[in-house]
Amino acid sequence: MFFQFGQKSQKLPSLCACIAVRWFGEASPESKAARNLHNFFTYVAVRIVTAQLESYNPEAYQELMEFLDRHSLNDGDKFLASLMRESSRHKSLALRILEVRSAYCKNDFEWDNLKRLAFKMVSESNTRLMREYVTETSPSDTEK
């Protein structure tokens, strides 16, 4: 794509080129998204393990639920580090959660579906927001 500026022409990057995002500071958007997914995988693993424990080990389930009441799952690694250091029983729960987190990430999470859903959500959201804006800013029939 070329634009004329006086006598000179300047080539602008096409829309399909990668967009350099430098305002994220220390990490790329992909790195930040990966960090959020990493913490989400911990959350999923905790949910899976608690569901398993609830049916076959009510005592361990109760201990894990009490630990969850006292510790945030916002930072998955911090949560698991604290869980490992709580007691030997908690350490075994943490190791189980680590196993489940890894297995879920490698085998069960549908990466292609994530990409498809993200594209769809962005497209639908952009269309909805543009439609709402046009509706709000266009004169209505009653204003004529």
Side-chain angles (χ1 to χ4, degrees), residues 71-99:
H71 297 85
S72 171
L73 252 172
N74 287 340
D75 182 332
D77 287 350
K78 184 177 176 183
F79 173 84
L80 289 167
S82 297
L83 185 61
M84 283 184 209
R85 287 160 181 78
E86 185 79 6
S87 73
S88 60
R89 284 181 59 107
H90 287 83
K91 178 184 169 189
S92 63
L93 291 172
L95 294 175
R96 176 68 184 140
I97 293 168
L98 289 172
E99 287 176 26

Side-chain angles (χ1 to χ4, degrees), residues 55-140:
S55 63
Y56 77 87
N57 191 339
E59 186 178 327
Y61 169 81
Q62 188 60 39
E63 288 178 354
L64 184 54
M65 294 307 292
E66 289 171 3
F67 188 85
L68 279 164
D69 285 341
R70 296 188 320 269
H71 297 85
S72 171
L73 252 172
N74 287 340
D75 182 332
D77 287 350
K78 184 177 176 183
F79 173 84
L80 289 167
S82 297
L83 185 61
M84 283 184 209
R85 287 160 181 78
E86 185 79 6
S87 73
S88 60
R89 284 181 59 107
H90 287 83
K91 178 184 169 189
S92 63
L93 291 172
L95 294 175
R96 176 68 184 140
I97 293 168
L98 289 172
E99 287 176 26
V100 171
R101 178 173 73 174
S102 182
Y104 179 76
C105 177
K106 290 177 185 174
N107 304 319
D108 295 329
F109 189 76
E110 296 182 20
W111 293 97
D112 293 337
N113 196 29
L114 168 68
K115 185 175 181 179
R116 183 186 62 75
L117 288 171
F119 285 162
K120 181 180 177 190
M121 288 174 70
V122 167
S123 177
E124 288 175 354
S125 177
N126 286 353
T127 301
R128 179 182 49 78
L129 291 168
M130 288 186 286
R131 186 178 294 125
E132 288 172 359
Y133 176 76
V134 168
T135 302
E136 289 171 10
T137 59
S138 297
S140 67

Side-chain angles (χ1 to χ4, degrees), residues 2 16 19 22 29 31 33 38 40 44-45 47-48 62 78 81-82 103 105 116 125 129 136 139:
F2 290 91
C16 62
I19 298 171
R22 302 192 191 289
S31 178
H38 177 76
F40 178 71
V44 170
R47 293 290 305 255
I48 290 168
Q62 188 60 39
K78 184 177 176 183
S82 297
C105 177
R116 183 186 62 75
S125 177
L129 291 168
E136 289 171 10

